[in-house]
Every structure is written in C-alpha cells, then in structure tokens.
Amino acid sequence: MLTQLFFVRPSFGDSAEDWQLGFQDPATPIMEGIINLHHDFMFFICAISVFVSWILGRTLWHYHWSKNEHPSSMVHGTTIEMIWTITPSITLLAIAVPSFALLYSMDEIIAPAITIKTVGHQWYWSYEYSDYTNNDDEAITFESYMIPEEDLTSGQLRLLEVDNPMVIPVNTHVRIIITAADVLHSWAVPSLGIKCDAVPGRLNQSSIFVKREGIFYGQCSEICGVNHGFMPIVVEAVSLPDYISWVANKLGE
C-alpha cells in the first residue's frame, strides 16, 4: 500500500483532450525542445506585449487633444528610430539562434537501428519493416485502419484507435521514411514532436527516439480527401524484449 502511495505511475496526456490549450506530454527529446523553445519565446512575447501596450496607453493618455491644445510639429526622431530598429533586430537574433539549433536537430538522423517505411493512402496508413525478413525473404508489412466507432471497446478513443499500430522500442534511434501512394498526406504525432509530409513519388525522412513506453496518437495533418479525418496514427513504444517478441510473431505469421 505504501509503495502505491509514494510511487504512483504518472499519467501522460499522449492524445488530444477536450478543450486542450497546451502541448501534449513529450516523449522524445525533440518534443521537449519544442516545448522549452515555446516557453522561452512566450517570455519575449509577454514582455514585448506589455511594453508596447504601456507605450500605447501612455501615448493615448498624454497626447489626447484635451491635454495638448498645441500639438508638437516634430515628425522625426533619429534616436528613437534607431532604438526601435536595433532592439527588435537583437530580439530576432536571440530568437533565431535556438530556433535554428532545434530545426537542425530535427533533421539530423543519428545512426538509426531501425528503419520503418510509412506510406499514406486514401484513407489509411501502411508500414514496412524492411530490416527484418522471414524465410521467404519477405519483410514485415501491414496496413493500419481506423477502428469504427461501433467496434470500440471501453477506454478506447474515438477516431484515434487503429487495428494495427506501429510498434517501436524505447531508447532506440528509429528512422521513419515517409511517402504517399496517391495524394498528399502528413504523418504527425504531437507527443513525439514529428510532423512530416507524405508526398507521392518522394521519400521524406525523420527520426524518433522515444524515451518512455506508451501509446502515442496522431492524425493525418494534410487535407487529403473526404475521409481525411478518419486515418489516425498510433505508435506503440515498448521495451526492447517486447519489441523483439513482436517482431518474431510478425515474422511467424
């Protein structure tokens, strides 16, 4: 009982919630970086907003016609113009440095241990694990369809559950190769900090390093037709032994 009291397993928000305003809980270093960058930017945004609002209010109050029967004829001020040009430039530079660092880290592919090919279709996703083959030299391939609402069980999420999720191990560098078979799609999972366009005839790639086990939900983020809202993405991150067992079962099917 004491163990349950002091060592409660945390509950993560890895799917969208009603009236949600903030980010989903991060599961990758990239998503952690996105959230931290957002919070840092909010400091500058709030400070600038307060300062500009104060200047505007002060100007409206002190330069109202009732307080200035004879308004100033000055139309230029070299000093103030230099200040309001240089200060925003320095602010933009301070914002640009961490932004570019995060963008380059998102594009970096670090010695992937697993490569998974993701293909968008109208209107479902298919996955290919080409690193593993069975005795017939066939790779692991499967299609992932949304579970209809009438087939959902208690606790499952409407419009987000699939019959075959993509399974990956935790603490492992995974490369995702993304393309489409028909029209533009977009493979996006907010908790993993990934959103990559699926373009017919083109291979885009991204990397994932999941730090904790869990089930992460996403959706196609490119309007791709009448059933665009019915092709969810589910990524299940498991321990390495469980992942090996899953691969063995898939190869034995």
Side-chain angles (χ1 to χ4, degrees), residues 202-238:
R202 177 172 178 172
L203 296 177
N204 291 329
Q205 69 174 358
S206 186
S207 63
I208 300 176
F209 184 86
V210 182
K211 299 173 62 176
R212 58 180 171 85
E213 297 181 27
I215 300 177
F216 310 101
Y217 296 88
Q219 290 177 298
C220 176
S221 298
E222 185 75 34
I223 297 178
C224 56
V226 64
N227 286 331
H228 158 69
F230 302 94
M231 50 182 303
I233 302 161
V234 178
V235 178
E236 184 174 356
V238 298

Side-chain angles (χ1 to χ4, degrees), residues 95-146:
I95 291 175
V97 172
S99 298
F100 283 119
L102 181 61
L103 285 173
Y104 281 113
S105 65
M106 293 171 67
D107 289 336
E108 188 176 8
I109 306 296
I110 304 174
I114 302 169
T115 298
I116 304 173
K117 184 179 180 181
T118 302
V119 183
H121 305 264
Q122 290 182 311
W123 287 272
Y124 63 95
W125 296 95
S126 65
Y127 300 98
E128 176 182 334
Y129 292 66
S130 56
D131 294 329
Y132 318 106
T133 56
N134 56 20
N135 294 331
D136 297 327
D137 202 29
E138 296 175 345
I140 298 176
T141 58
F142 58 89
E143 296 169 344
S144 181
Y145 291 90
M146 185 191 76

Side-chain angles (χ1 to χ4, degrees), residues 51 75-89:
F51 177 73
V75 294
H76 293 289
T78 302
T79 302
I80 190 65
E81 289 184 2
M82 290 180 63
I83 292 174
W84 71 40
T85 301
I86 296 174
T87 303
S89 300

Side-chain angles (χ1 to χ4, degrees), residues 152-247:
L152 293 174
T153 59
S154 178
Q156 289 188 313
L157 302 175
R158 176 178 173 270
L159 300 182
L160 289 178
E161 301 290 349
V162 299
D163 53 359
N164 292 306
M166 188 182 88
V167 179
I168 59 175
V170 296
N171 298 321
T172 304
H173 291 285
V174 180
R175 174 171 57 188
I176 308 294
I177 297 177
I178 302 169
T179 186
D182 34 50
V183 299
L184 289 175
H185 299 278
S186 184
W187 200 81
V189 184
S191 290
L192 304 183
I194 181 172
K195 181 179 184 293
C196 187
D197 289 340
V199 183
R202 177 172 178 172
L203 296 177
N204 291 329
Q205 69 174 358
S206 186
S207 63
I208 300 176
F209 184 86
V210 182
K211 299 173 62 176
R212 58 180 171 85
E213 297 181 27
I215 300 177
F216 310 101
Y217 296 88
Q219 290 177 298
C220 176
S221 298
E222 185 75 34
I223 297 178
C224 56
V226 64
N227 286 331
H228 158 69
F230 302 94
M231 50 182 303
I233 302 161
V234 178
V235 178
E236 184 174 356
V238 298
S239 64
L240 186 56
D242 289 341
Y243 176 74
I244 295 174
S245 298
W246 178 84
V247 170

